[in-house]
């Protein structure tokens, strides 16, 4: 069916209250803004979590270097979550410039909203590569750091490493 055919079906729907174009545009913009707010606050939570994790790993690195241990694994583990947060911020800035002007039509607003939903779907389809894998690498680096500096016998290190690896794998799956 063409757009005009769908439009006729929609306009002839008896359950639909009659509305003017301005009311429809306000409703579409209201729902689009609500979706944008949801995405914004998700990004804020992700960035805050990344900063907390990075600070925790950096703090561990400082503590390890004060005790004479080599903290380079902690530094790498601290940088990775910041990279994930940076990716989200760059992605947000890259897609921000596509906002419609106030004089736009309902179709232009709907096209923008559909593009935003498609972009969020793309992010979710690729979450393994920009989120899960980097944070799994971060967790593995930290696990190696802890096992390298733990005052445990070799068999206890292997057991602890196995348990930690199973936990990391389970969380990431």
């Amino acid at each position: 069916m063409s757009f005009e055919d769908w439009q006729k079906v929609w306009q002839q729907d008896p359950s639909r209250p009659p509305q003017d174009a301005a009311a429809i545009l306000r409703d579409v913009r209201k729902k689009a803004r609500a979706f944008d707010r949801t995405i914004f606050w998700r990004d804020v939570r992700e960035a805050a979590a990344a900063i907390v994790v990075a600070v925790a790993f950096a703090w561990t690195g400082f503590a390890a270097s004060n005790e004479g241990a080599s903290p380079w694994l902690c530094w790498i583990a601290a940088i990775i979550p910041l990279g994930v947060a940076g990716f989200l911020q760059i992605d947000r800035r890259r897609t921000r410039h596509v906002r419609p002007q106030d004089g736009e039509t309902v179709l232009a607003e709907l096209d923008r909203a559909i593009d935003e939903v498609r972009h969020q779907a793309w992010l979710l389809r690729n979450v393994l590569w920009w989120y899960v894998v980097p944070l799994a690498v971060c967790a593995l680096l930290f696990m190696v750091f802890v096992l390298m500096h733990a005052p445990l016998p070799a068999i206890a290190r292997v057991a602890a490493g196995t348990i930690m690896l199973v936990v990391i794998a389970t969380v990431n799956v």
Side-chain angles (χ1 to χ4, degrees):
M1 291 181 91
S2 69
F3 174 76
E4 289 78 18
D5 295 335
W6 283 111
Q7 186 177 19
K8 285 179 186 175
V9 169
W10 179 70
Q11 288 173 343
Q12 293 170 355
D13 182 12
S15 65
R16 186 184 66 82
Q19 291 182 323
D20 61 345
I24 294 171
L25 183 59
R26 276 193 308 275
D27 189 44
V28 168
R29 283 189 176 152
K30 177 181 170 189
K31 289 179 181 178
R33 282 193 303 269
F35 182 74
D36 289 344
R37 276 192 306 275
T38 301
I39 299 302
F40 171 78
W41 286 111
R42 181 214 53 199
D43 291 349
V44 167
R45 285 190 305 271
E46 292 295 334
I51 291 169
V52 167
V53 169
V55 167
F57 288 147
W59 185 269
T60 304
F62 280 121
S65 65
N66 287 341
E67 294 180 14
S70 175
W72 67 273
L73 286 172
C74 286
W75 300 134
I76 295 172
I79 290 170
I80 291 172
L82 294 177
V84 171
F87 171 80
L88 281 172
Q89 293 306 311
I90 289 169
D91 182 68
R92 175 170 271 300
R93 286 193 186 356
R94 187 179 61 81
T95 58
R96 182 184 301 175
H97 65 84
V98 219
R99 304 286 185 234
Q101 302 300 321
D102 281 339
E104 297 278 341
T105 65
V106 174
L107 286 178
E109 185 70 32
L110 284 173
D111 283 341
R112 189 210 63 82
I114 289 169
D115 286 344
E116 180 64 25
V117 169
R118 283 185 181 144
H119 180 69
Q120 293 303 318
W122 177 84
L123 284 173
L124 289 173
R125 277 192 309 274
N126 294 294
V127 73
L128 178 70
W129 302 113
W130 66 267
Y131 190 79
V132 175
V133 169
L135 295 181
V137 168
C138 178
L140 289 172
L141 289 172
F142 189 70
M143 178 190 80
V144 168
F145 172 79
V146 168
L147 292 176
M148 281 175 42
H149 296 90
L152 298 172
I155 190 75
R157 285 181 196 216
V158 169
T162 303
I163 291 169
M164 293 167 93
L165 194 59
V166 167
V167 168
I168 291 170
T170 303
V171 166
N172 284 293
V173 166

